[in-house]
Amino acid sequence: MRSYKLLVTLGLAAATVVGCGDLSAPGGGHVRDDDTAERARRVAAAWEGSEVARAWQRDYYLLGDAVQLPDGAFHNDADKRAYATRNFDLRTPLPDAPKKPGRIRWTDGEALTLPLTSARAAYDKLDRGESPGPALTVTGARLGDMTVLTSRGKATVPAWLFTVKGYDTPLKHIAVTPPKLPRPPIGAVQQETDELVPLHGLNTVAQDGRTLTVLAKHGACDDGPAVDVLETEGSVVLSASIRGTSDGPCTSQSLAKKVTVRLRRPVGDRILLDAFTGRPVPPHRQAARPTQ
């Protein structure tokens, strides 16, 4: 197994690769190294019945993006660049956080109340650019809601709705902060190899809950990433690897591709885990989304 060190990300490349197959079952979609398969089983076993797993299913942990863009975003390259560099121009007063708590509502009828953040706090997470280039102009802000994917399934959460000049629908940002996840029950792998690398994050989950799109690492001189699956009763462990690496000269680039993973049954309330880190797969932020 050749060691494969991924350096600082210099670019992202978009593609779709299908990687599926239960690591625990013979004849899966991708034949994996025995050590990698064992790692996935260890991660699943560590989380099964753990206190952190109970917290994951009890509390509110965001799996989707904290931001939802306006319909039709973006109209032009200037707006795309403005959002990619997080360059905003505020042309309106921002409301304070309401004194009453916000209510998170799941589709099964369960609910949870948490303090609301202010519009200023949400805006400051959006506007991080200091570039003299193009900017998105915000002309209004009000409290509303948005639907997001959480560790307990889809939920309607309070959100700040920012009016963006030139767009008919608002840009939304969640107005409740998820709690910090407790220490995971298993540590990360110490070294990246071709057979196991960390994922960039979760990109999308299809309506049926059986098709996931994740962003996986690879380099400039290989055949791209693959992602394999170990499905258990309480978790879905994703193991990312790099296919067809070359021993010849190669530029020091870390790229990423979208990988579509199909499950045998909907993810539901199972925990989506990264075999490398031993942690839940984080949401992939829109600011770093690869160019289509």
Side-chain angles (χ1 to χ4, degrees):
M1 188 185 302
R2 185 175 65 85
S3 177
Y4 182 90
K5 185 175 181 182
L6 292 168
L7 305 179
V8 178
T9 301
L10 299 178
L12 294 172
T16 299
V17 182
V18 176
C20 60
D22 191 335
L23 288 174
S24 64
H30 182 62
V31 177
R32 296 305 307 274
D33 178 89
D34 288 344
D35 290 341
T36 304
E38 177 59 24
R39 168 65 182 181
R41 287 189 284 268
R42 287 178 56 210
V43 170
W47 277 82
E48 192 71 32
S50 67
E51 175 54 37
V52 67
R54 288 190 288 272
W56 184 258
Q57 295 171 339
R58 179 183 63 237
D59 296 327
Y60 156 65
Y61 297 101
L62 190 66
L63 292 183
D65 205 295
V67 177
Q68 289 180 1
L69 299 177
D71 293 343
F74 290 103
H75 293 333
N76 50 55
D77 288 340
D79 285 358
K80 290 179 184 178
R81 288 198 302 275
Y83 186 75
T85 56
R86 294 300 180 122
N87 233 20
F88 286 78
D89 181 16
L90 184 62
R91 299 291 182 90
T92 184
L94 293 175
D96 295 328
K99 295 182 179 180
K100 64 178 183 179
R103 189 171 179 83
I104 300 168
R105 304 184 304 278
W106 280 273
T107 54
D108 61 3
E110 293 291 321
L112 180 68
T113 57
L114 288 174
L116 290 169
T117 59
S118 67
R120 169 56 68 178
Y123 178 81
D124 286 346
K125 290 181 179 179
L126 291 170
D127 185 19
R128 296 181 177 181
E130 298 179 355
S131 168
L136 293 168
T137 302
V138 173
T139 59
R142 62 183 176 86
L143 190 63
D145 58 43
M146 62 190 276
T147 300
V148 297
L149 183 66
T150 76
S151 56
R152 294 167 57 181
K154 285 187 178 180
T156 300
V157 303
W160 288 106
L161 278 51
F162 295 100
T163 304
V164 178
K165 185 178 179 180
Y167 293 87
D168 295 331
T169 59
L171 182 152
K172 302 179 181 181
H173 191 290
I174 59 168
V176 283
T177 303
K180 184 178 180 180
L181 185 68
R183 184 183 180 88
I186 187 170
V189 174
Q190 294 301 308
Q191 184 179 24
E192 297 179 15
T193 67
D194 294 344
E195 292 296 332
L196 189 62
V197 295
L199 290 162
H200 271 301
L202 177 68
N203 195 270
T204 60
V205 178
Q207 290 288 334
D208 63 5
R210 295 183 60 186
T211 304
L212 315 175
T213 304
V214 296
L215 205 65
K217 294 182 177 182
H218 74 109
C221 303
D222 55 56
D223 295 334
V227 177
D228 289 277
V229 184
L230 170 62
E231 296 192 50
T232 71
E233 190 65 28
S235 65
V236 175
V237 184
L238 302 180
S239 301
S241 61
I242 300 168
R243 306 174 303 164
T245 54
S246 172
D247 291 322
C250 184
T251 58
S252 298
Q253 283 181 286
S254 175
L255 306 174
K257 284 185 179 180
K258 288 181 181 179
V259 179
T260 300
V261 179
R262 296 189 177 93
L263 307 181
R264 295 186 175 183
R265 62 186 179 90
V267 63
D269 60 359
R270 293 183 293 172
I271 307 167
L272 194 63
L273 299 170
D274 182 343
F276 184 93
T277 64
R279 294 173 174 267
V281 179
H284 175 59
R285 301 303 178 189
Q286 286 180 331
R289 180 171 294 171
T291 304
Q292 300 296 327

